[in-house]
Amino acid sequence: MQEMRQRNDRREAPFGSRKQATKSNLRRPLEPRAASRENAIGKLPEDNRAALARNGKLTPPVLAVGGEASTTGPLMSEMMREVAETVTELRVPRAAHWIAEENPDAFLDGLKAFLETP
């Protein structure tokens, strides 16, 4: 047991402790990364539209899952229909954003029914 403890004591995160790694990340300037992310994110809609025009819509069946209590829940199937030919909507009751955690039984029942559909 003591040998195991000694081995664990020798293990370190790549940048020392996790707490130290987090503190060092917070000290780094974020401007260059943020600027590059904004540029990349700004191109995503254009890239997605081009890929959709080039490749067409998804052909496998797609399950659009949304929580009944979520403001974005009703939009899931609408958004998926823009990019997929066959969309099945699953609105999970008593769930908002964390669907699988908030109502796992209803989520799994809906997922199972979708997967069992020929």
Side-chain angles (χ1 to χ4, degrees), residues 3 10 18-19 21 27-28 36-37 42 44 54 58 61 76 78 99 103 117:
E3 182 182 321
R10 283 182 265 159
R18 288 183 182 182
K19 190 173 186 179
R27 287 189 205 119
R28 284 191 223 153
S36 66
R37 283 185 185 162
L44 283 177
R54 187 174 54 251
L58 297 171
M76 291 300 127
E78 184 180 325
I99 297 164
N103 194 344
T117 303

Side-chain angles (χ1 to χ4, degrees), residues 49-112:
R49 284 187 201 98
L52 187 59
R54 187 174 54 251
N55 303 319
K57 289 185 174 188
L58 297 171
T59 56
V62 172
L63 179 64
V65 181
E68 190 176 70
S70 172
T71 56
T72 59
L75 303 175
M76 291 300 127
S77 62
E78 184 180 325
M79 288 188 294
M80 288 297 103
R81 283 187 178 89
E82 291 180 17
V83 297
E85 292 178 4
T86 307
V87 177
T88 301
E89 181 178 11
L90 173 60
R91 295 287 304 280
V92 180
R94 297 181 315 282
H97 183 71
W98 303 102
I99 297 164
E101 289 84 1
E102 294 170 344
N103 194 344
D105 292 334
F107 171 70
L108 289 174
D109 289 344
L111 179 59
K112 184 178 176 186

Side-chain angles (χ1 to χ4, degrees), residues 33-49:
R33 289 189 315 180
S36 66
R37 283 185 185 162
E38 286 174 10
N39 290 336
I41 290 170
K43 291 182 179 181
L44 283 177
E46 296 167 11
D47 293 343
N48 290 342
R49 284 187 201 98

